[in-house]
Amino acid sequence: GKYWSTSFMKCHPELKVKQSQVLEQCRASALNPTAIKGFYNMLNKLITEFNIPPEKFYNMDEKGVQLGVGGSVTIIID
């Protein structure tokens, strides 16, 4: 429903809400295009091998994979 996140947090008091930190400019400029391409090649191989449908994908990227410099967002952490 509309307030599912509030209910979820009430059921999981061990979790906390905080603002993410923006990726530093030096880290953003140091991204390795070869490593990123390798990651997505491996991901594509696994998706094909295990026949994973698109509805099973969730956005759970790490800052090191983030392209460019993004803004701060609210996140749930343990």
Side-chain angles (χ1 to χ4, degrees):
K2 185 176 179 181
Y3 301 105
W4 74 268
S5 59
T6 303
S7 299
F8 179 83
M9 293 304 292
K10 285 181 183 177
C11 292
H12 299 279
E14 73 279 10
L15 300 176
K16 306 275 186 266
V17 176
K18 70 173 254 179
Q19 290 294 118
S20 69
Q21 296 177 351
V22 176
L23 180 64
E24 299 96 20
Q25 184 63 42
C26 62
R27 287 186 64 200
S29 62
L31 286 176
N32 181 336
T34 303
I36 293 171
K37 183 177 180 180
F39 168 80
Y40 283 107
N41 286 340
M42 185 185 313
L43 178 62
N44 188 46
K45 179 181 173 187
L46 292 170
I47 290 168
T48 303
E49 180 180 343
F50 293 102
N51 195 29
I52 303 171
E55 60 269 13
K56 297 294 182 181
F57 284 81
Y58 300 90
N59 184 14
M60 302 182 83
D61 56 347
E62 294 290 336
K63 284 186 175 186
V65 180
Q66 185 179 26
L67 300 177
V69 179
S72 178
V73 295
T74 303
I75 58 174
I76 298 173
I77 60 170
D78 62 1

mmCIF file of all heavy atoms in Angstrom, residues 51-74:
data_model
loop_
_atom_site.group_PDB
_atom_site.id
_atom_site.type_symbol
_atom_site.label_atom_id
_atom_site.label_comp_id
_atom_site.label_asym_id
_atom_site.label_seq_id
_atom_site.Cartn_x
_atom_site.Cartn_y
_atom_site.Cartn_z
ATOM 1 N N ASN A 51 18.177 -18.463 -17.110
ATOM 2 C CA ASN A 51 16.892 -18.019 -17.655
ATOM 3 C C ASN A 51 16.132 -17.140 -16.655
ATOM 4 O O ASN A 51 14.982 -17.404 -16.304
ATOM 5 C CB ASN A 51 16.047 -19.228 -18.078
ATOM 6 C CG ASN A 51 14.895 -18.831 -18.966
ATOM 7 O OD1 ASN A 51 14.972 -17.845 -19.688
ATOM 8 N ND2 ASN A 51 13.820 -19.584 -18.905
ATOM 9 N N ILE A 52 16.789 -16.081 -16.190
ATOM 10 C CA ILE A 52 16.208 -15.185 -15.186
ATOM 11 C C ILE A 52 15.328 -14.154 -15.887
ATOM 12 O O ILE A 52 15.815 -13.377 -16.710
ATOM 13 C CB ILE A 52 17.307 -14.487 -14.369
ATOM 14 C CG1 ILE A 52 18.203 -15.527 -13.707
ATOM 15 C CG2 ILE A 52 16.694 -13.548 -13.332
ATOM 16 C CD1 ILE A 52 19.449 -14.959 -13.063
ATOM 17 N N PRO A 53 14.025 -14.109 -15.568
ATOM 18 C CA PRO A 53 13.126 -13.154 -16.235
ATOM 19 C C PRO A 53 13.314 -11.733 -15.685
ATOM 20 O O PRO A 53 13.725 -11.542 -14.541
ATOM 21 C CB PRO A 53 11.733 -13.680 -15.899
ATOM 22 C CG PRO A 53 11.908 -14.433 -14.625
ATOM 23 C CD PRO A 53 13.310 -14.996 -14.654
ATOM 24 N N PRO A 54 13.018 -10.716 -16.504
ATOM 25 C CA PRO A 54 13.210 -9.315 -16.092
ATOM 26 C C PRO A 54 12.485 -8.936 -14.804
ATOM 27 O O PRO A 54 12.963 -8.099 -14.042
ATOM 28 C CB PRO A 54 12.654 -8.514 -17.274
ATOM 29 C CG PRO A 54 12.741 -9.430 -18.440
ATOM 30 C CD PRO A 54 12.549 -10.820 -17.886
ATOM 31 N N GLU A 55 11.335 -9.560 -14.510
ATOM 32 C CA GLU A 55 10.602 -9.185 -13.289
ATOM 33 C C GLU A 55 11.309 -9.623 -12.013
ATOM 34 O O GLU A 55 10.903 -9.271 -10.914
ATOM 35 C CB GLU A 55 9.164 -9.717 -13.323
ATOM 36 C CG GLU A 55 9.043 -11.215 -13.420
ATOM 37 C CD GLU A 55 8.970 -11.738 -14.854
ATOM 38 O OE1 GLU A 55 9.256 -10.992 -15.798
ATOM 39 O OE2 GLU A 55 8.633 -12.913 -15.015
ATOM 40 N N LYS A 56 12.396 -10.367 -12.141
ATOM 41 C CA LYS A 56 13.178 -10.787 -10.975
ATOM 42 C C LYS A 56 14.384 -9.881 -10.718
ATOM 43 O O LYS A 56 15.220 -10.168 -9.886
ATOM 44 C CB LYS A 56 13.667 -12.233 -11.150
ATOM 45 C CG LYS A 56 12.544 -13.245 -11.228
ATOM 46 C CD LYS A 56 11.806 -13.318 -9.917
ATOM 47 C CE LYS A 56 10.710 -14.370 -9.988
ATOM 48 N NZ LYS A 56 9.968 -14.463 -8.761
ATOM 49 N N PHE A 57 14.486 -8.772 -11.443
ATOM 50 C CA PHE A 57 15.594 -7.837 -11.284
ATOM 51 C C PHE A 57 15.228 -6.733 -10.308
ATOM 52 O O PHE A 57 14.124 -6.212 -10.339
ATOM 53 C CB PHE A 57 15.959 -7.194 -12.634
ATOM 54 C CG PHE A 57 16.720 -8.111 -13.527
ATOM 55 C CD1 PHE A 57 16.052 -9.065 -14.267
ATOM 56 C CD2 PHE A 57 18.088 -8.028 -13.615
ATOM 57 C CE1 PHE A 57 16.742 -9.917 -15.092
ATOM 58 C CE2 PHE A 57 18.788 -8.884 -14.441
ATOM 59 C CZ PHE A 57 18.112 -9.832 -15.184
ATOM 60 N N TYR A 58 16.192 -6.373 -9.459
ATOM 61 C CA TYR A 58 16.002 -5.300 -8.491
ATOM 62 C C TYR A 58 17.222 -4.395 -8.546
ATOM 63 O O TYR A 58 18.340 -4.852 -8.761
ATOM 64 C CB TYR A 58 15.825 -5.864 -7.079
ATOM 65 C CG TYR A 58 14.632 -6.771 -6.979
ATOM 66 C CD1 TYR A 58 14.748 -8.132 -7.224
ATOM 67 C CD2 TYR A 58 13.381 -6.257 -6.674
ATOM 68 C CE1 TYR A 58 13.634 -8.962 -7.162
ATOM 69 C CE2 TYR A 58 12.272 -7.087 -6.603
ATOM 70 C CZ TYR A 58 12.405 -8.436 -6.847
ATOM 71 O OH TYR A 58 11.317 -9.240 -6.782
ATOM 72 N N ASN A 59 17.049 -3.122 -8.343
ATOM 73 C CA ASN A 59 18.152 -2.166 -8.373
ATOM 74 C C ASN A 59 18.859 -2.163 -7.023
ATOM 75 O O ASN A 59 18.400 -1.544 -6.069
ATOM 76 C CB ASN A 59 17.625 -0.772 -8.713
ATOM 77 C CG ASN A 59 18.749 0.227 -8.838
ATOM 78 O OD1 ASN A 59 19.908 -0.140 -8.928
ATOM 79 N ND2 ASN A 59 18.409 1.497 -8.842
ATOM 80 N N MET A 60 19.992 -2.855 -6.954
ATOM 81 C CA MET A 60 20.751 -2.946 -5.714
ATOM 82 C C MET A 60 22.223 -2.656 -5.996
ATOM 83 O O MET A 60 23.102 -3.374 -5.570
ATOM 84 C CB MET A 60 20.566 -4.322 -5.080
ATOM 85 C CG MET A 60 19.115 -4.637 -4.790
ATOM 86 S SD MET A 60 18.850 -6.186 -4.000
ATOM 87 C CE MET A 60 19.162 -5.732 -2.308
ATOM 88 N N ASP A 61 22.484 -1.607 -6.756
ATOM 89 C CA ASP A 61 23.852 -1.310 -7.144
ATOM 90 C C ASP A 61 24.648 -0.695 -6.006
ATOM 91 O O ASP A 61 24.105 -0.147 -5.062
ATOM 92 C CB ASP A 61 23.882 -0.414 -8.379
ATOM 93 C CG ASP A 61 23.113 0.880 -8.198
ATOM 94 O OD1 ASP A 61 22.349 0.986 -7.225
ATOM 95 O OD2 ASP A 61 23.283 1.775 -9.032
ATOM 96 N N GLU A 62 25.961 -0.823 -6.103
ATOM 97 C CA GLU A 62 26.881 -0.236 -5.125
ATOM 98 C C GLU A 62 27.427 1.069 -5.694
ATOM 99 O O GLU A 62 27.432 1.293 -6.889
ATOM 100 C CB GLU A 62 28.040 -1.195 -4.837
ATOM 101 C CG GLU A 62 27.614 -2.472 -4.143
ATOM 102 C CD GLU A 62 27.178 -2.236 -2.710
ATOM 103 O OE1 GLU A 62 27.599 -1.237 -2.105
ATOM 104 O OE2 GLU A 62 26.400 -3.059 -2.213
ATOM 105 N N LYS A 63 27.960 1.925 -4.852
ATOM 106 C CA LYS A 63 28.497 3.197 -5.311
ATOM 107 C C LYS A 63 29.612 3.012 -6.338
ATOM 108 O O LYS A 63 29.769 3.816 -7.234
ATOM 109 C CB LYS A 63 29.018 4.009 -4.137
ATOM 110 C CG LYS A 63 27.930 4.647 -3.318
ATOM 111 C CD LYS A 63 28.551 5.535 -2.275
ATOM 112 C CE LYS A 63 27.480 6.273 -1.513
ATOM 113 N NZ LYS A 63 28.062 7.243 -0.596
ATOM 114 N N GLY A 64 30.398 1.952 -6.208
ATOM 115 C CA GLY A 64 31.494 1.720 -7.143
ATOM 116 C C GLY A 64 31.036 1.404 -8.551
ATOM 117 O O GLY A 64 31.796 1.507 -9.492
ATOM 118 N N VAL A 65 29.791 1.024 -8.728
ATOM 119 C CA VAL A 65 29.252 0.699 -10.042
ATOM 120 C C VAL A 65 28.447 1.867 -10.593
ATOM 121 O O VAL A 65 28.159 1.942 -11.762
ATOM 122 C CB VAL A 65 28.379 -0.576 -9.970
ATOM 123 C CG1 VAL A 65 27.798 -0.939 -11.314
ATOM 124 C CG2 VAL A 65 29.210 -1.735 -9.437
ATOM 125 N N GLN A 66 28.126 2.812 -9.741
ATOM 126 C CA GLN A 66 27.314 3.966 -10.132
ATOM 127 C C GLN A 66 28.057 4.782 -11.184
ATOM 128 O O GLN A 66 29.222 5.111 -11.025
ATOM 129 C CB GLN A 66 27.058 4.818 -8.889
ATOM 130 C CG GLN A 66 26.134 5.974 -9.110
ATOM 131 C CD GLN A 66 25.916 6.741 -7.816
ATOM 132 O OE1 GLN A 66 26.761 6.729 -6.922
ATOM 133 N NE2 GLN A 66 24.799 7.407 -7.705
ATOM 134 N N LEU A 67 27.386 5.092 -12.270
ATOM 135 C CA LEU A 67 28.004 5.873 -13.332
ATOM 136 C C LEU A 67 27.742 7.349 -13.095
ATOM 137 O O LEU A 67 26.613 7.752 -12.895
ATOM 138 C CB LEU A 67 27.456 5.448 -14.698
ATOM 139 C CG LEU A 67 27.693 3.980 -15.063
ATOM 140 C CD1 LEU A 67 27.037 3.667 -16.401
ATOM 141 C CD2 LEU A 67 29.165 3.665 -15.104
ATOM 142 N N GLY A 68 28.788 8.137 -13.100
ATOM 143 C CA GLY A 68 28.637 9.566 -12.893
ATOM 144 C C GLY A 68 28.479 9.906 -11.422
ATOM 145 O O GLY A 68 28.667 9.083 -10.547
ATOM 146 N N VAL A 69 28.121 11.129 -11.164
ATOM 147 C CA VAL A 69 27.935 11.602 -9.791
ATOM 148 C C VAL A 69 26.460 11.808 -9.562
ATOM 149 O O VAL A 69 25.846 12.665 -10.175
ATOM 150 C CB VAL A 69 28.713 12.915 -9.548
ATOM 151 C CG1 VAL A 69 28.501 13.410 -8.137
ATOM 152 C CG2 VAL A 69 30.191 12.712 -9.828
ATOM 153 N N GLY A 70 25.874 10.981 -8.705
ATOM 154 C CA GLY A 70 24.434 11.066 -8.449
ATOM 155 C C GLY A 70 24.129 11.882 -7.222
ATOM 156 O O GLY A 70 25.021 12.319 -6.505
ATOM 157 N N GLY A 71 22.870 12.071 -6.991
ATOM 158 C CA GLY A 71 22.425 12.814 -5.821
ATOM 159 C C GLY A 71 22.244 11.899 -4.623
ATOM 160 O O GLY A 71 22.359 10.687 -4.718
ATOM 161 N N SER A 72 21.955 12.462 -3.495
ATOM 162 C CA SER A 72 21.738 11.721 -2.269
ATOM 163 C C SER A 72 20.299 11.166 -2.265
ATOM 164 O O SER A 72 19.368 11.838 -2.697
ATOM 165 C CB SER A 72 21.942 12.648 -1.072
ATOM 166 O OG SER A 72 21.703 11.979 0.121
ATOM 167 N N VAL A 73 20.154 9.927 -1.791
ATOM 168 C CA VAL A 73 18.834 9.294 -1.695
ATOM 169 C C VAL A 73 18.661 8.703 -0.312
ATOM 170 O O VAL A 73 19.633 8.492 0.407
ATOM 171 C CB VAL A 73 18.647 8.190 -2.774
ATOM 172 C CG1 VAL A 73 18.666 8.773 -4.161
ATOM 173 C CG2 VAL A 73 19.681 7.104 -2.613
ATOM 174 N N THR A 74 17.426 8.440 0.078
ATOM 175 C CA THR A 74 17.148 7.792 1.354
ATOM 176 C C THR A 74 17.295 6.288 1.179
ATOM 177 O O THR A 74 16.757 5.727 0.233
ATOM 178 C CB THR A 74 15.735 8.133 1.847
ATOM 179 O OG1 THR A 74 15.636 9.567 1.939
ATOM 180 C CG2 THR A 74 15.447 7.511 3.193
#
